[in-house]
Amino acid sequence: MRLILAEDDPMIGQSIRDGLQMDGFVVDWVQDGEQAKQALSHAASEYALLLLDLGLPRLSGQQLLVELRKSGNTIPVLILTARDALSDRVAGLNSGADDYLVKPFALEELVARIHALIRRSNGRGSSDIEYGALRINPLNHEVWLRNALIDLSPREFALLHALLEQPGAVLSRAQLEERLYGWGQEVASNAIDVHLHNLRRKLGADIIFNVRGVGFKVVKP
């Protein structure tokens, strides 16, 4: 699951990014509002959520949020800020934020809120994603097939999760790479093929279907 983090404080930004990456997220980190605006304009559809600090240089988080909503961008937004006054929280939510978390916070709470917002944006009430006999839980990174627990690597899980977020939809190789890898991460030319091979070996050859010349999709087992 790919997120974008807009946070100008180097220590806080690195701490959040590292913590979320250890939890299996792909995190692109920008340090001012203009960088965030540019990143979202180029890859808005690839980000599951925006983590937004209000006190950004060049373009404030509040103004960025207003511009995003005016442009029709519906990406879920979780504000992360030290501003704990009621008026600030109300202003952020009224500007289009989906949730508001006051610094300092525990990483566990941040992860829980991220998952809750993404569930809500996808119209799900449960953390589990079920598709036929296949079930995954993004919170604990578990995959079940016909009630049997399947052991997947973090990349394999992320690829399967990306496909199951849009069950039946075809995702291209480039789209899958966008979901699995952040800025600056090297992507081997056969990386997606390797992960797909491993998934088919563990889940069965009939779970992930190759639409020749287009991409890949999950088939209901």
Side-chain angles (χ1 to χ4, degrees):
M1 196 182 305
R2 190 175 183 187
L3 314 177
I4 179 167
L5 168 65
E7 168 60 64
D8 65 316
D9 186 290
M11 291 184 63
I12 294 176
Q14 183 171 340
S15 176
I16 293 173
R17 183 189 62 184
D18 292 350
L20 291 177
Q21 285 178 339
M22 289 181 64
D23 211 74
F25 293 96
V26 176
V27 182
D28 291 339
W29 174 26
V30 295
Q31 294 182 267
D32 68 58
E34 287 293 345
Q35 287 180 329
K37 181 179 178 180
Q38 183 177 11
L40 287 163
S41 68
H42 284 94
S45 62
E46 301 299 337
Y47 290 116
L49 183 138
L50 166 63
L51 300 169
L52 180 64
D53 177 42
L54 293 180
L56 296 173
R58 297 181 67 197
L59 180 68
S60 73
Q62 186 83 29
Q63 186 58 40
L64 172 63
L65 180 56
V66 169
E67 292 188 17
L68 284 174
R69 295 313 189 215
K70 281 185 176 180
S71 71
N73 192 320
T74 60
I75 184 174
V77 176
L78 172 53
I79 290 177
L80 307 177
T81 182
R83 302 178 188 177
D84 60 353
L86 176 61
S87 58
D88 290 320
R89 297 198 299 272
V90 170
L93 294 169
N94 284 341
S95 295
D98 298 277
D99 200 358
Y100 197 105
L101 189 57
V102 176
K103 302 171 185 175
F105 48 79
L107 181 65
E108 292 82 0
E109 182 179 5
L110 174 60
V111 170
R113 287 176 182 260
I114 289 171
H115 281 294
L117 286 177
I118 292 173
R119 283 200 310 271
R120 190 185 309 161
S121 69
N122 291 332
R124 299 197 315 270
S126 168
S127 295
D128 287 358
I129 301 175
E130 296 190 38
Y131 194 58
L134 188 63
R135 174 167 55 90
I136 73 170
N137 186 306
L139 283 175
N140 53 26
H141 296 258
E142 288 183 346
V143 176
W144 298 79
L145 178 62
R146 300 182 182 90
N147 296 320
L149 183 63
I150 309 297
D151 183 36
L152 299 183
S153 73
R155 295 286 193 207
E156 292 162 4
F157 183 91
L159 195 155
L160 181 62
H161 188 193
L163 290 169
L164 284 174
E165 281 183 318
Q166 303 177 60
V170 179
L171 296 184
S172 69
R173 188 182 305 275
Q175 287 175 309
L176 290 173
E177 288 177 351
E178 287 282 345
R179 303 291 181 88
L180 269 66
Y181 299 95
W183 296 339
Q185 291 183 304
E186 287 191 19
V187 184
S189 60
N190 66 337
I192 297 298
D193 293 312
V194 170
H195 298 319
L196 286 169
H197 172 78
N198 291 334
L199 281 173
R200 287 176 172 136
R201 178 171 53 83
K202 295 176 181 181
L203 299 175
D206 57 344
I207 298 289
I208 300 175
F209 183 71
N210 180 11
V211 180
R212 189 176 298 275
V214 182
F216 307 90
K217 68 177 183 177
V218 287
V219 178
K220 188 174 292 186

